[in-house]
Amino acid sequence: MKTGPAGPGTRAPGHGPVAGGLRFTAELIAWVGSAWALWPHSIPLAIGAVVPQQR
């Protein structure tokens, strides 16, 4: 398995600013969309999907 240089200024594949922004946007849409989809069926489940859980 070949790996690239591990010095300063190098990033792993898929960890650039554009990829990070797209991933953040996708995660945000999924987070809001899950609550939106659950709301008509179960309000407690919809709230549970949005509120972070303590571990």
Side-chain angles (χ1 to χ4, degrees), residues 14-34:
H15 290 278
V18 174
L22 289 173
R23 180 175 178 173
F24 175 78
T25 303
E27 295 269 352
L28 187 63
I29 290 170
W31 185 51
V32 172
S34 62

Side-chain angles (χ1 to χ4, degrees), residues 5 10-11 16 28 30 33 35-36 40 47-48:
T10 59
R11 291 190 177 115
L28 187 63
W36 192 4
I47 292 170

